Structures are given as C-alpha cells and as structure tokens.
Amino acid sequence: MSSQLGVASRLPPLCHCQPEPAMASSAASGEEPAPLLPALLFFRLRMDDDFDAALRQRYRVLDFFVSGEPLPAFLAGAAALPDPPRAAVVMGGAAARVDAALLDAVPSLGFVFSTGAGVDHIDLAECARRGVAVANSGTVYSTDVADHAVGMIIDVLRRVSAAERFVRSGLWPAQGDYPLGTKLGGKRVGIIGLGNIGSLIAKRLEAFGCIIHYNSRRPRDSVPYKYFFNVHDLALESDVLVVACALNKDTRHIVNKDVLEALGKDGIIINIGRGANVDEAELIRALKEGRIAGAGLDVFENEPKVPAELFSMDNVVMTSHVAVFTSESRSDLWDTTIGSLEAFFSGKPLLRQVLPW
Amino acid sequence: MSSQLGVASRLPPLCHCQPEPAMASSAASGEEPAPLLPALLFFRLRMDDDFDAALRQRYRVLDFFVSGEPLPAFLAGAAALPDPPRAAVVMGGAAARVDAALLDAVPSLGFVFSTGAGVDHIDLAECARRGVAVANSGTVYSTDVADHAVGMIIDVLRRVSAAERFVRSGLWPAQGDYPLGTKLGGKRVGIIGLGNIGSLIAKRLEAFGCIIHYNSRRPRDSVPYKYFFNVHDLALESDVLVVACALNKDTRHIVNKDVLEALGKDGIIINIGRGANVDEAELIRALKEGRIAGAGLDVFENEPKVPAELFSMDNVVMTSHVAVFTSESRSDLWDTTIGSLEAFFSGKPLLRQVLPW
C-alpha cells in the first residue's frame, strides 16, 4: 500500500480530484512533477483503497461524487481542461447516465467503461453515432450472479431464510416443526434472458434435475432447452420464473400483471436482473393476494428503497443487490477495468466492447 | 377423504388406538365387524391426515405418542394382545429407540421400518441377532437433503440470510452496501460421507465449479474426487466441510476441535447429517473466536434446543432439521412406508432393507 500511495502522491493536483494529502510535501520537496497522466471521468461509488491507488497511479481521476459539484459544472470543468478526459468509468445502476447531454458536454470522450454488468445507464445508440466505444465488465460477475440466483431459488422453495428467522427467534422448541418446503428437482424453470448469466443458471439447475425453458430475443440453436417466443407463454409453463435479462425499453416491466397471472399461485419469481424488469407494484399485489407463491428479489425498482409491504412476507427473500459481488469478482473487476482503460489509451482492441442494438 | 375415513371407521377399537369417533355409530348400525387388521407399533410424530387414514385402512395402529402411557406399559400392553404386533414404524431422531429392551418387551416383532433417513436410533446388531428385519426410507430424502446442503453453502458464502435480515430491517437506505460475500466457484469442498446424499451434493457442486474432496469408510473407485483417509486431512485441504455421514459410534463428534482447527479461519462447515456428528460446544467456541469463518446447520446436538449463542452470529445459517422435508418427499415417504409394510406382511422381499454393520 505505501509504495502505491507514494506513486499516487506524485500526481499533479487537479480541481476535481480527491484530496491528495501528500501532494504539498512533494511539491515542497522541489521534486520534478511527473509527466501529466491522462484525465479520467469517474462516476462510481463503492471503491476500495487498493483499486483507488492502482487507478490513481495511472490516471488523473476526475471524481464526480467527490467533487460535490452539480453535474453540468463538473462536466464543463472537465471539458475545459487543457487535456480534457478521453475516457469515463461509470458504475451500473442509477448513479450516472451516459446520454446525449453528457456526451455533448464532454466531446473529448472516446471511451466509456461500465463497471456494472448491465449497460442500461448508457445510451448505446448515441455513443455509436458519435464513435464513442463502450465496454463493460463482461462476464466477471456472471458466475456469482448465477450462484446467487440458484441460492435464492433454493431459499424460496425450501424456506431457508424463513426457517432461519424461526430458529433464530428461539421459536423451534415452543412451536415445533417448521412447515414443509417444496422440492427443487423436477421443477420447470423459465429463464428470461439466456445470455451468459442465464446460461450459467440453467447449467447449475440441470444438476438439480430441473427442466429448463427460456425466452430471449432469439432461440439458441446450441441449447437443448425449450424456447418460448413470449414471456407470458413461458410463465404458463414454468414453476419458477427467473429474470436474467438486461434492462432496456423492451424488457421494462417484462414481468407484468399478465405474466404473474400466467405464472400462477404455485409459481415463484426470482429477479437478479434489474428492479424495473418487474412491475413491482403488481408483484406486491400478487404476493399479498396469494396469486403467486413467493419471490426472491436481489433488485428493486427504487433501490435502496424496498417497499415496506415486503418486509412482513415470509415467502419473500430479499437481498441488497449483492448477487454480483464477491471479493473474488470485485478483484477481477478491478483488473478488467484497468486492463480496458490501458487497451483504450494504447489503441489496442477492446476485449469487452458492447455493441449498440 | 370421506371414503378413506369411512373405511377406517370399520376398524375394531383397540386400547392404544387413536379415538375413532365414527366407531360407536358403526357398531350401533349392527354391521358385521371387519376382519381384524394386523397390529402395528407406531412411534412417530409429524403425521398428516391422508397418511393417517391410509395407514389405518390397513393396520390397527398402536400409537405410543397418542397412548399417553409410559413406554414399558405401552409395550407390555401390545405384547399381551391376542395378535401382538409383528411390525413397528419408528421415526428418526430421538423420538424412540429400537434397542434390546424394546425387542425383549415385544418379541413378536419381525420388522422395523424407520421413516428417517438415518438408523442411529435402531440397534441393528440386536435386530440382526434376533432376525428382525430393518428397512428405511432409502433415498426418498436424498435429493432434498443435497439441495438444502447446497442452498446452505451458497447462503453462508454469499450471506443471503444475513443480507435478508439487513434488507428486512429497513437498514439498506441508511447503511448502504452490504459487505461482500465469497465466491462458490473454485472452492474446495470436503464431503464427509460420500453415500447417496454426499454424492448428490458433489454432483450439484461440480456444476458450480467446485473441487470435490471426500472422506468415507472406503475410497470409491467410481468417482473422480480425491479421497482422504481421515477427516483432519480432508479439513486441511477444504474451504467448505460438509457433514453428510450417518451417526454411529465412529462418526460421533467426527468434527471435533482438531478438525475445526484444520479447516481454519476462512473455512465454513455445513451439517446436514446429525447434530452429534459435530462437537457443538467446540464449534461455537471456534465461531466466537473467529477460528472458522461460518457455519450452516440444519441439525443440532439437542434438538429442538439450539444454543442461544448462535442466535447473534451473522455468519451462521440455521434451519430446524428441515433438509429432509418437502411436500413431495413426504408423499414419497408415505408411499414407501406403506409399500414396505405390505411387502413384509405379504412375505415379499424388502426393497430398502438396512443391513447391520
């Protein structure tokens, strides 16, 4: 750590950087300033010290969340620099949107890297029109998300978290046996979105004896699973419906009232995609009225807000958008982020480029 | 249901039977009593109405837990019947022990069927010496137990139940991100007991990219996993240690202080075997002192009592001995129980006979 911070401390000061406490002493010591590092627009929470240090060794990080400035002022300041930023790092979710306004404000941008698995916060068509390359974390998270999805299916069907509360409250001796769960084997699991994550979920569930169905934009020739052209028909033939698709205008509320109706009172829904893939208000109504059997939700429409009505439901398992995150995948993500930036700045091909659709 | 109850109501009354409310009216109607059904010793809680009715159609059920009698009086009463019971149904766990004393008290017994997956409550050597056949539920539960074990591994590594408490308490908006979990892929999972359940756990975990090691009485030629002659060495080479063996004198406290030490501070333990397979006091000490990373426990040494010290530990997932139970497996169990009794009473081979060891 100390050597990394030592390197970081040689970076020249920049109005939008995080404070560099060692800078004053470095300047005071009369050392030659290091060559100017490339500027990097940075829109991300959730950092760790090692990654922060590694990034600052390589770039002058213009950190929006640290700047405290309104977005237009922050972008104008960046664009007015003698060497304005050619690259941006953005996280997934609602933290920042890369849209026409942002691209207009900083026309020097040639590359956007998303540290999220999704790219619903990036206007891919606008980027393509302007020749701005977009890459993301690719499959770094995929196995973790798939594992979490399977864990949630088992949890909801077998009532693990609910039984956990029961035992932890000391109720077992007084109340006796906990109600029976439902078997995973033989269940028909309908996966919405058979991309990398969906395919990994399917592979895992095959080992449990599940029957896999799926819906996606196109049928896949390479898989033995039954394809459904629309989600309503998929839900009709599924005991468990798993949302594993990206969020875009076609998939917003892809699980709506009709789909929940088709899933039916013994069906459960798992969402490890994006909160807005599911009509949350309709989901809550269906759960309340017993029109579906349960839900496992890692994502919500207005994170971190979770509708309080869910808190008292024993047939719902909720986690705080953690399906993507393990210490191992985060470490892979940092490597991928820095590798992608280095590829862009050295003119090499971008391995995980996202194409517009 | 009504036709089944109608049949059951024609059974003659017996001192130890559950009350048969329809009996009086049946006798009053002057109908011929049905031929005497075979007597059946019954030591089991957790019944359901359908199974109860199906059993009483076929047998005069002498139900110990309903009798309210002390065990010696109950057994003496059964033995003194003109047609004493030739078969007994016992559940797993501590509800009743089939030992020399019980077999001495009811010498007419020729068959014991255990509805549990384990047979640690049956003295197999004593049964064999007297020519009493023993059968059990066989593999009815195996997939459910394996599924639950995998669910618990994901839960402990990925902190699902803990994140669930966090979200459910409404803490997400105030406290922000939940701490990172740990990846399942690539983990070395050591399975103690590679029987039917252990093998199913291994098969499932292979789909997650885990590396499987195992310990059992003998190495298995048919599996590609690495065999360890003792549990200590297995624990040394494992990130996750899964207890999936039967309970007997060799496996009591098979996970002891030394094994926990070998597993180490990043290791987790999963117990879906029997509570007494693990030295619970040592486990709690190791958890308290951070000498292991976490635990998933479906079984405990003194069920339904769970040591209160566990209740405040966020790295522990506890369920109330439910790994065996789903509505589907219970239905299979009832079929197996009745099928086994019919095989015994009609002199056919017992499909799931348990041999002494």
Side-chain angles (χ1 to χ4, degrees):
Chain A
M1 272 305 290
S2 59
S3 71
Q4 288 182 315
L5 286 173
V7 173
S9 69
R10 282 188 276 110
L11 305 182
L14 244 183
C15 55
H16 303 299
C17 275
Q18 279 190 293
E20 301 275 355
M23 196 55 71
S25 64
S26 173
S29 72
E31 283 175 22
E32 242 353 74
L36 204 64
L37 294 172
L40 179 69
L41 276 190
F42 197 79
F43 299 88
R44 222 200 113 83
L45 304 169
R46 300 211 258 202
M47 297 284 294
D48 65 40
D49 291 345
D50 287 351
F51 178 64
D52 193 55
L55 204 64
R56 285 167 195 280
Q57 277 177 37
R58 295 163 174 82
Y59 305 102
R60 287 175 12 249
V61 178
L62 315 183
D63 189 328
F64 170 61
F65 293 113
V66 166
S67 74
E69 292 180 295
L71 184 62
F74 171 76
L75 296 175
L81 289 171
D83 60 332
R86 296 171 52 215
V89 170
V90 296
M91 71 185 294
R97 279 197 59 75
V98 177
D99 52 13
L102 185 143
L103 297 167
D104 282 344
V106 191
S108 54
L109 276 185
F111 178 50
V112 175
F113 184 83
S114 167
T115 57
V119 285
D120 47 295
H121 53 304
I122 299 174
D123 188 331
L124 295 178
E126 274 298 324
C127 288
R129 202 170 66 75
R130 295 156 194 255
V132 174
V134 177
N136 75 350
S137 54
T139 59
V140 158
Y141 303 114
S142 302
T143 59
D144 282 339
V145 176
D147 293 351
H148 197 83
V150 174
M152 281 195 137
I153 295 173
I154 301 176
D155 195 323
V156 175
L157 287 177
R158 302 298 303 275
R159 306 174 192 250
V160 176
S161 292
E164 231 281 328
R165 280 193 294 281
F166 172 78
V167 173
R168 205 172 275 269
S169 316
L171 294 175
W172 189 9
Q175 299 194 4
D177 292 335
Y178 198 75
L180 294 182
T182 305
K183 199 184 204 73
L184 179 53
K187 288 286 177 300
R188 300 164 305 164
V189 180
I191 301 177
I192 305 175
L194 202 70
N196 198 266
I197 292 171
S199 302
L200 290 170
I201 294 172
K203 178 192 156 201
R204 282 153 177 69
L205 290 175
E206 281 193 89
F208 290 84
C210 295
I211 300 148
I212 311 294
H213 300 330
Y214 73 108
N215 161 261
S216 61
R217 279 171 290 176
R218 289 173 291 278
R220 300 282 182 103
D221 292 336
S222 58
V223 299
Y225 318 131
K226 185 172 175 189
Y227 175 74
F228 287 78
F229 181 72
N230 70 60
V231 171
H232 179 272
D233 293 351
L234 178 70
L236 271 179
E237 299 280 330
S238 297
D239 303 302
V240 178
L241 195 62
V242 180
V243 182
C245 58
L247 178 64
N248 55 50
K249 65 180 169 36
D250 296 327
T251 63
R252 183 171 300 272
H253 287 196
I254 194 167
V255 175
N256 58 20
K257 188 180 174 185
D258 286 348
V259 169
L260 293 168
E261 197 68 35
L263 183 60
K265 70 176 181 50
D266 295 323
I268 71 165
I269 185 146
I270 303 292
N271 191 2
I272 47 79
R274 288 278 182 260
N277 289 133
V278 176
D279 185 332
E280 203 168 70
E282 285 297 342
L283 173 67
I284 291 171
R285 261 192 288 278
L287 285 165
K288 261 176 153 170
E289 295 166 10
R291 288 186 282 109
I292 68 166
L297 308 170
D298 185 53
V299 288
F300 302 86
E301 283 208 72
N302 300 299
E303 295 170 15
K305 282 189 200 154
V306 176
E309 292 151 297
L310 294 170
F311 295 165
S312 59
M313 295 183 183
D314 254 355
N315 54 345
V316 177
V317 176
M318 295 165 281
T319 50
S320 46
H321 205 144
V322 296
V324 291
F325 270 126
T326 62
S327 47
E328 292 88 344
S329 70
R330 175 164 286 196
S331 170
D332 289 348
L333 172 62
W334 298 157
D335 291 349
T336 303
T337 305
I338 286 178
S340 295
L341 290 170
E342 287 186 342
F344 170 73
F345 280 107
S346 60
K348 290 183 188 151
L350 294 168
L351 276 182
R352 279 149 175 164
Q353 185 149 8
V354 177
L355 302 173
W357 60 77
Chain B
M1 272 304 290
S2 59
S3 70
Q4 289 181 313
L5 286 173
V7 173
S9 71
R10 283 188 274 107
L11 306 182
L14 243 186
C15 54
H16 304 299
C17 273
Q18 280 191 290
E20 301 276 356
M23 196 55 71
S25 64
S26 172
S29 71
E31 281 174 23
E32 239 358 72
L36 204 63
L37 293 173
L40 180 68
L41 275 191
F42 197 79
F43 299 89
R44 224 201 111 83
L45 305 168
R46 302 210 255 203
M47 298 285 293
D48 65 40
D49 291 345
D50 287 350
F51 177 64
D52 194 54
L55 204 64
R56 285 167 195 281
Q57 278 177 36
R58 294 163 174 84
Y59 305 102
R60 287 174 13 249
V61 178
L62 315 183
D63 189 327
F64 169 62
F65 294 112
V66 166
S67 75
E69 291 181 295
L71 185 61
F74 172 76
L75 295 176
L81 291 171
D83 60 331
R86 293 171 54 216
V89 169
V90 295
M91 72 186 291
R97 280 196 57 75
V98 178
D99 52 13
L102 186 144
L103 297 168
D104 282 344
V106 191
S108 55
L109 277 185
F111 178 49
V112 175
F113 184 83
S114 167
T115 57
V119 285
D120 47 295
H121 52 304
I122 299 173
D123 187 332
L124 295 178
E126 274 297 326
C127 288
R129 200 170 66 77
R130 294 157 196 255
V132 175
V134 177
N136 75 351
S137 54
T139 58
V140 157
Y141 302 115
S142 303
T143 58
D144 282 339
V145 176
D147 293 352
H148 196 84
V150 173
M152 281 196 137
I153 294 173
I154 300 175
D155 194 324
V156 175
L157 287 177
R158 302 298 304 274
R159 306 175 192 249
V160 176
S161 292
E164 232 282 328
R165 280 193 295 281
F166 172 78
V167 173
R168 204 172 275 268
S169 316
L171 295 175
W172 188 8
Q175 298 194 3
D177 292 335
Y178 199 74
L180 294 182
T182 306
K183 199 184 205 73
L184 180 52
K187 287 286 177 299
R188 300 164 305 164
V189 180
I191 301 178
I192 305 174
L194 201 72
N196 198 267
I197 292 171
S199 302
L200 290 169
I201 295 171
K203 178 191 157 202
R204 283 153 175 69
L205 290 175
E206 281 192 270
F208 290 85
C210 295
I211 300 149
I212 311 294
H213 300 329
Y214 74 108
N215 162 261
S216 62
R217 279 172 290 176
R218 288 173 292 280
R220 299 285 182 100
D221 291 337
S222 58
V223 298
Y225 317 131
K226 184 171 173 190
Y227 175 74
F228 287 77
F229 181 72
N230 71 60
V231 171
H232 179 272
D233 293 350
L234 178 69
L236 272 180
E237 299 280 329
S238 297
D239 302 304
V240 178
L241 193 62
V242 180
V243 182
C245 58
L247 178 63
N248 56 48
K249 66 180 169 39
D250 297 327
T251 62
R252 183 170 298 271
H253 286 196
I254 195 167
V255 176
N256 58 21
K257 188 181 174 185
D258 285 349
V259 169
L260 294 168
E261 197 68 36
L263 183 59
K265 69 178 181 45
D266 296 322
I268 71 163
I269 185 148
I270 303 292
N271 191 2
I272 47 79
R274 288 279 182 259
N277 288 132
V278 175
D279 185 332
E280 203 169 70
E282 285 296 342
L283 173 67
I284 291 171
R285 261 192 287 277
L287 285 164
K288 262 176 154 170
E289 295 166 11
R291 287 186 282 111
I292 68 168
L297 307 170
D298 185 53
V299 288
F300 302 86
E301 282 208 71
N302 300 298
E303 292 169 15
K305 283 188 198 155
V306 176
E309 291 151 297
L310 294 171
F311 294 166
S312 59
M313 295 183 184
D314 255 355
N315 53 345
V316 177
V317 177
M318 295 165 281
T319 51
S320 47
H321 204 144
V322 296
V324 292
F325 272 124
T326 62
S327 47
E328 292 88 344
S329 70
R330 175 165 286 196
S331 170
D332 290 347
L333 172 62
W334 298 157
D335 292 347
T336 303
T337 304
I338 286 177
S340 295
L341 290 169
E342 288 186 342
F344 170 74
F345 280 108
S346 61
K348 289 183 188 152
L350 296 167
L351 275 183
R352 279 150 176 165
Q353 185 149 7
V354 178
L355 301 174
W357 60 76

